[in-house]
Amino acid sequence: MDFQLTDEQTLLRDTTRDLLSRSYDPESRNKVIGSDLGWSREVWSQLADTGILGLGFDPEEAGQIEIMVVLAEAGRRLAPEPILHAALAPGALIAELGTDAQKEQLDDVAAGQRLLAFAHLEPGHRTPTADASTKAARQGDSWALSGRKNPVLAGDCADTLVVSAALPDGGTGLFLVDANTVTRHPYRTFDGQRGAQIDLDATPAEPLGEAADASQTIRDAVIRIQAALCAEAVGAMEEALRLTTDYLKTRKQFGVTLNKFQALTQRAADMYVSLELAHSMSLYASMSIADGNLDPVIASRAKLQIGRSGRHIAQESIQLHGGIGVTAEYPVAHYAARLTAIEHMLGTSGDHLHNLIDHIGDYDLARL
């Protein structure tokens, strides 16, 4: 199996890294996430010009590996732009199920002129499923949705929502909803991202493709989003480890730099082991999807390891930095916050561990 990026993927990685590195340093990022929007329209436009906002819409041109590469760089710089939640994830659903007319919207998405959001999660859902409590009702030749979606990442700024809802005859369908027709309650998450609670009350909706059960498509979408979040987490872990090792090389105690203390260097080495475990599982998850194997067990394996590694690296980064590690002005605290948020998205490590336990009977031999 070839674990090396192609020349095109390497160029995409380097281009994304250069774009985000020029756009953000700790001070400029803090200023941007403190704004009303929470991210930069200018950077969003640059991402569109680079072709990043349309990745995955045409599987023959780009797929999960390219998305992994881009999200890892977004995680490395803690870029607040909702690349995954306002473009790639909901856009892939439209590309897969949408009619020709609906797919035409993707041109505006890729150009950065239309923002999307995938409104699927609902209050009380600890783990992601394809089920939805939101109801879809037919009204003559049209449809209306009623229910509540929360959290909806990027739901505060989206122009079009891709909403899941229970169909009258059973199953879960997907619908397109004009965001101006819903009631939005926007909020800021503790890691600096943006989201919203979406309330629908007999809100007009257009079926995405046919008004048919899309449960399997929703499950596959959740797996792709999980893999993308894993890639973002790996990028954040890499930078958190780099910041920590650089700090150990420069901060002095008792007249010598901290990297002269063996106990501290051993802890940094343990962080590196956690990073490599996370990187391997993220690559495994993305490559499986790229090969057409959207296995929830593989997704849970990756999410479990990323959660464990992320928690370890986040905690050790702050501990090895000391008091400065928890200040808002220093970046390592923001990396810890983002890794914590990703660990809780679409199921915590504990939730995914229980999922793996439920499947342990599928194997003749299990090692813990």
Side-chain angles (χ1 to χ4, degrees):
M1 183 177 292
D2 186 3
F3 294 100
Q4 300 297 318
L5 297 178
T6 65
D7 292 341
E8 291 79 7
Q9 292 164 350
T10 300
L11 178 61
L12 176 63
R13 180 199 65 191
D14 295 344
T15 301
T16 306
R17 181 177 300 181
D18 181 63
L19 189 161
L20 296 178
S21 295
R22 284 187 284 105
S23 302
Y24 289 115
D25 55 39
E27 183 178 351
S28 62
R29 179 186 180 274
N30 287 345
K31 183 178 180 180
V32 168
I33 65 174
S35 65
D36 291 337
L37 181 61
W39 48 275
S40 169
R41 293 277 187 184
E42 180 181 354
V43 174
W44 190 257
S45 178
Q46 293 174 8
L47 291 168
D49 293 341
T50 310
I52 289 173
L53 301 184
L55 292 175
F57 295 173
D58 185 350
E60 295 184 359
E61 294 185 0
Q64 193 67 32
I65 301 299
E66 286 74 17
I67 293 174
M68 176 194 73
V69 166
V70 167
L71 266 294
E73 296 306 318
R76 189 188 307 277
R77 300 311 308 170
L78 286 184
E81 282 70 33
I83 299 171
L84 176 63
H85 302 293
L88 303 188
L93 288 170
I94 296 175
E96 181 175 353
L97 295 181
T99 63
D100 290 340
Q102 291 170 341
K103 291 179 182 179
E104 290 179 359
Q105 300 181 34
L106 296 179
D107 293 336
D108 290 338
V109 175
Q113 299 171 358
R114 179 187 294 270
L115 300 174
L116 305 174
F118 181 30
H120 174 59
L121 298 180
E122 297 177 343
H125 282 187
R126 279 187 56 87
T127 57
T129 68
D131 299 329
S133 298
T134 300
K135 304 296 183 183
R138 187 185 292 274
Q139 297 181 344
D141 295 333
S142 61
W143 289 82
L145 307 183
S146 297
R148 173 171 292 173
K149 298 292 186 178
N150 189 36
V152 181
L153 297 177
D156 61 312
C157 59
D159 302 304
T160 303
L161 303 172
V162 180
V163 184
S164 60
L167 298 171
D169 298 330
T172 305
L174 289 172
F175 297 83
L176 295 182
V177 175
D178 184 345
N180 292 322
T181 63
V182 305
T183 301
R184 290 195 266 200
H185 304 278
Y187 51 78
R188 174 179 175 174
T189 61
F190 75 93
D191 61 331
Q193 302 289 310
R194 296 294 194 276
Q197 175 180 295
I198 304 295
D199 291 331
L200 305 109
D201 185 9
T203 304
E206 176 188 355
L208 183 57
E210 299 181 0
D213 183 21
S215 296
Q216 188 58 52
T217 301
I218 294 172
R219 294 189 190 98
D220 291 346
V222 168
I223 290 173
R224 288 194 294 266
I225 295 171
Q226 287 173 336
L229 289 172
C230 288
E232 183 183 350
V234 168
M237 287 183 229
E238 288 179 347
E239 187 63 12
L241 177 57
R242 187 194 68 80
L243 289 170
T244 303
T245 54
D246 286 352
Y247 183 78
L248 295 178
K249 294 174 184 177
T250 56
R251 178 72 166 89
K252 287 187 176 182
Q253 190 76 8
F254 305 112
V256 296
T257 55
L258 293 179
N259 66 335
K260 301 300 183 182
F261 295 92
Q262 186 176 19
L264 300 185
T265 57
Q266 287 174 341
R267 290 169 67 175
D270 289 340
M271 292 170 65
Y272 177 75
V273 172
S274 289
L275 171 61
E276 287 303 298
L277 289 171
H279 183 266
S280 296
M281 287 306 300
S282 174
L283 185 59
Y284 175 40
S286 294
M287 292 182 70
S288 295
I289 295 172
D291 288 339
N293 182 21
L294 286 87
D295 187 344
V297 173
I298 294 177
S300 287
R301 288 174 182 167
K303 195 69 165 53
L304 173 60
Q305 184 59 59
I306 266 66
R308 287 175 169 175
S309 294
R311 175 174 297 185
H312 175 220
I313 291 175
Q315 291 177 345
E316 286 291 77
S317 294
I318 290 178
Q319 288 292 321
L320 292 175
H321 274 84
I324 195 176
V326 296
T327 60
E329 291 77 16
Y330 200 73
V332 73
H334 296 276
Y335 283 97
R338 184 58 184 153
L339 288 170
T340 301
I342 291 175
E343 198 273 336
H344 284 81
M345 287 183 189
L346 300 179
T348 64
S349 297
D351 295 327
H352 287 284
L353 178 60
H354 282 290
N355 183 42
L356 293 174
I357 291 172
D358 292 339
H359 288 84
I360 200 168
D362 299 341
Y363 304 93
D364 295 330
L365 176 65
R367 290 191 177 93
L368 299 180

